[in-house]
Amino acid sequence: MLEKKNEERNQVELICIEEFVPKDHLLRKIENAVNFKKIYEMVEDLYCADNGRPSVDPVVLFKIVIIQHIYGIPSLRRTASEIEMNLAYRWFLGYGINEKTPHFATVSYNFKHRFTEELIEKIFNWILSEINSAGYLAPEAVFIDGTHIKANANMKKAVKKAIPGAAKVYEEQLMKEINEDREEHGKKPFDGPKAPEEKTVSESRTDPESGVFHKGEHKKCFAYAAQTACDKNGYVMDVTVNPGNVHDTVAFDGLYDRLVKTFPEIKSVVMDAGYKTPWICKKVFDDKRIPVLPYKRPMGNAAFYRPYEYIFDEYYDCVLCPENHVLNYSTTNRDGYKEFKSKSYICKNCPSLSHCTNSAKHEKLVTRHIWADYIDRAEDIRHTPQFREMYEHRKETIERVFADAKEKHGMRYTNLRGLSQVTKWVRLKFAAMNLKKYAIHKWIKDGKNVFRLLFSDFSIPDWLFELFSPDPM
């Protein structure tokens, strides 16, 4: 029998908003995970104690942004609109059904002008310290990688600009060791590092602090690069944001120095092949830590012998080619590479000349960095079962962090402009992701403890507790 439902849209009902939010709702788990009143202590200096208009509760402002980042809502305007209609959001903020929620412009203004980069870093570190105190953080092995975020800038609105090249952080140390090596070989030392060369870059007129990122051979866009580190459980330990045209190896130092200062217990640093440079290997090894790096495919002409087929003899300080001919030391250049050259009268009649060099002088040049020993040590570590297995976890840790951030939390594109604003936005997003993961892990653990308490009089194996535990992800 067909029955038509009466439309009762204007009736008045007495309801309790608490009853409409499920007991296992994500926002309930987050509310129970940390004490948000800690935020009052952090923002106290940013408000006047006895003057001015009453402000919107700063905890509410931060909770609004947490809602935006956790649910991947693209803008604060859309977030404010969703909060007006969503009972769970209102419950999380402590607002009743008829209570007017904060305007999106209020939230935007506070995060742009009042809440500084230092405050956002404090919020991030506070959440991370809660996770660490609860025993969920495992900083012994850290996974580092970078990802690009499309900037709010159009490639058609760009101008060419000449800028001086950035000096390398290790330039003085490298030049000192270069001169020591040259003096050992009876060569005249260099006066000092060569001046950085001027280069021409494309600069956005709308967001000058972003940089051009080449996504492929033909596609490019303005972007920011987020250098990120996480532990084996997927908790983001720190992040630095740079223009999109800054290479990962250049941005590495800033993130690494912050990490080891905050977490001196780090033992292993897991990175992809893009970080396999002499300086990074030296820096990590000198800090008594282990760089875990993969095989890096040699670059160059595929028809020629591979670099590893030229054997370096440390005792005689020379290189042996695949035909067992000696390449003698020639010099050490300003970039830190020792040059070894063959004898042209020998190479001219060599049967493997076409696989070795196409030099008109029939002279083969092989270079080896003065810090290449550190690369060799990293290569030896790569073959050990322990660290080979550790590297395999990248896809479950840092790569998953980036995948979740972009697919679930809206980090593919930012509508903010300026390095400072984007840095705050990225750090808040990772703080929200950490908080979400922590809240779920804590809820699962508390549920297991309740289950154990209820059945403490029975002999129940541990695997049965795991069977009834929900997936934390």
Side-chain angles (χ1 to χ4, degrees):
M1 183 178 70
L2 178 65
E3 182 180 358
K4 183 179 178 182
K5 174 116 176 29
N6 294 328
E7 295 180 352
E8 299 175 349
R9 294 175 176 172
N10 296 321
Q11 67 182 19
V12 178
E13 295 184 6
L14 291 176
I15 65 170
C16 177
I17 195 171
E18 178 75 22
E19 297 175 358
F20 283 84
V21 183
K23 298 297 181 185
D24 61 346
H25 196 280
L26 175 60
L27 294 179
R28 277 193 184 274
K29 299 171 188 176
I30 291 173
E31 182 69 25
N32 295 328
V34 295
N35 181 10
F36 284 99
K37 291 182 180 179
K38 182 76 174 176
I39 294 176
Y40 292 126
E41 301 174 15
M42 302 180 193
V43 302
E44 189 175 5
D45 295 338
L46 304 177
Y47 291 87
C48 183
D50 55 2
N51 195 12
R53 294 180 297 172
S55 69
V56 176
D57 190 332
V59 171
V60 170
L61 296 177
F62 275 97
K63 283 186 173 182
I64 289 173
V65 174
I66 286 172
I67 289 172
Q68 179 193 5
H69 289 306
I70 283 178
Y71 292 100
I73 304 173
S75 67
L76 281 173
R77 186 190 293 265
R78 175 76 178 274
T79 305
S81 176
E82 293 286 335
I83 289 171
E84 290 179 1
M85 304 294 295
N86 193 305
L87 288 178
Y89 294 172
R90 283 180 171 271
W91 175 88
F92 183 59
L93 299 179
Y95 278 70
I97 293 178
N98 295 319
E99 195 172 357
K100 186 174 177 59
T101 55
H103 194 268
F104 77 90
T106 303
V107 185
S108 178
Y109 183 88
N110 276 275
F111 277 92
K112 186 173 182 180
H113 299 287
R114 187 191 298 272
F115 300 148
T116 62
E117 203 171 327
E118 291 75 18
L119 174 62
I120 303 303
E121 188 172 341
K122 283 183 182 178
I123 299 288
F124 178 88
N125 291 334
W126 162 61
I127 294 173
L128 201 61
S129 67
E130 292 286 326
I131 296 167
N132 195 19
S133 300
Y136 292 107
L137 200 65
E140 291 79 18
V142 61
F143 297 79
I144 293 179
D145 204 355
T147 189
H148 285 83
I149 305 162
K150 192 173 184 298
N152 187 8
N154 194 327
M155 280 301 299
K156 294 181 180 179
K157 295 183 179 180
V159 293
K160 295 290 184 181
K161 187 176 181 180
I163 61 171
K168 298 180 177 67
V169 295
Y170 55 86
E171 206 159 273
E172 289 186 8
Q173 184 179 354
L174 177 61
M175 183 54 62
K176 180 182 176 183
E177 296 193 28
I178 289 171
N179 285 337
E180 289 175 357
D181 185 78
R182 288 178 64 86
E183 288 174 352
E184 286 178 8
H185 289 89
K187 302 283 184 180
K188 183 181 177 181
F190 292 121
D191 296 334
K194 61 180 179 181
E197 296 180 359
E198 191 176 80
K199 59 180 182 178
T200 303
V201 298
S202 296
E203 184 179 278
S204 170
R205 294 204 301 264
T206 51
D207 188 1
E209 292 183 321
S210 63
V212 176
F213 167 56
H214 293 263
K215 299 179 73 173
E217 291 185 8
H218 305 291
K219 191 173 182 181
K220 57 184 179 179
C221 65
F222 284 110
Y224 287 94
Q227 285 292 312
T228 311
C230 76
D231 72 340
K232 67 177 183 180
N233 297 322
Y235 287 107
V236 177
M237 297 168 63
D238 207 348
V239 60
T240 59
V241 180
N242 303 279
N245 54 5
V246 175
H247 196 268
D248 287 347
T249 55
V250 178
F252 169 82
D253 291 280
L255 177 63
Y256 177 80
D257 292 341
R258 288 169 56 95
L259 273 173
V260 296
K261 182 179 179 181
T262 310
F263 302 99
E265 62 269 34
I266 292 174
K267 296 178 181 177
S268 305
V269 185
V270 186
M271 302 164 281
D272 65 17
Y275 295 87
K276 199 170 186 178
T277 64
W279 164 246
I280 290 178
C281 291
K282 173 180 167 58
K283 186 180 181 74
V284 177
F285 275 124
D286 287 351
D287 284 349
K288 303 296 189 291
R289 296 181 174 89
I290 299 173
V292 182
L293 294 155
Y295 171 75
K296 186 174 183 179
R297 187 172 58 188
M299 295 179 288
N301 193 331
F304 287 175
Y305 289 125
R306 301 288 85 188
Y308 54 78
E309 296 182 81
Y310 295 87
I311 310 301
F312 174 67
D313 189 322
E314 186 176 1
Y315 183 81
Y316 290 105
D317 197 20
C318 66
V319 170
L320 295 176
C321 76
E323 293 291 334
N324 288 323
H325 294 300
V326 176
L327 282 72
N328 294 310
Y329 172 84
S330 174
T331 187
T332 304
N333 61 32
R334 284 181 176 271
D335 295 323
Y337 286 92
K338 299 170 74 172
E339 298 181 358
F340 300 88
K341 293 182 180 179
S342 66
K343 301 290 191 298
S344 59
Y345 63 86
I346 296 177
C347 292
K348 183 168 60 175
N349 301 317
C350 180
S352 301
L353 180 63
S354 60
H355 299 293
C356 188
T357 181
N358 53 13
S359 168
K361 296 181 179 180
H362 308 299
E363 188 177 75
K364 175 65 178 177
L365 173 66
V366 174
T367 59
R368 178 180 170 84
H369 201 277
I370 60 172
W371 292 337
D373 290 342
Y374 295 98
I375 295 277
D376 295 339
R377 287 175 62 187
E379 190 66 15
D380 292 338
I381 287 169
R382 178 177 73 85
H383 294 287
T384 59
Q386 174 191 353
F387 295 109
R388 187 186 302 146
E389 182 183 358
M390 185 182 291
Y391 183 80
E392 291 297 320
H393 288 302
R394 282 188 74 256
K395 60 180 180 291
E396 304 158 7
T397 53
I398 191 66
E399 290 181 5
R400 184 167 184 176
V401 166
F402 291 152
D404 286 346
K406 293 189 176 185
E407 287 293 326
K408 300 178 182 178
H409 303 285
M411 207 178 81
R412 290 189 183 278
Y413 170 85
T414 178
N415 54 11
L416 300 175
R417 290 172 179 163
L419 189 61
S420 176
Q421 296 300 320
V422 175
T423 299
K424 290 193 289 184
W425 180 81
V426 171
R427 200 173 288 276
L428 279 169
K429 193 173 293 292
F430 282 139
M433 289 173 62
N434 282 347
L435 185 57
K436 173 186 174 182
K437 186 185 288 287
Y438 171 55
I440 294 173
H441 283 167
K442 190 172 185 295
W443 176 72
I444 291 171
K445 182 179 179 181
D446 292 345
K448 287 180 183 178
N449 290 338
V450 171
F451 190 66
R452 289 178 189 273
L453 186 64
L454 290 174
F455 295 94
S456 58
D457 296 334
F458 301 91
S459 178
I460 299 177
D462 290 338
W463 64 266
L464 191 57
F465 289 108
E466 299 296 334
L467 186 65
F468 288 98
S469 300
D471 182 7
M473 300 310 295

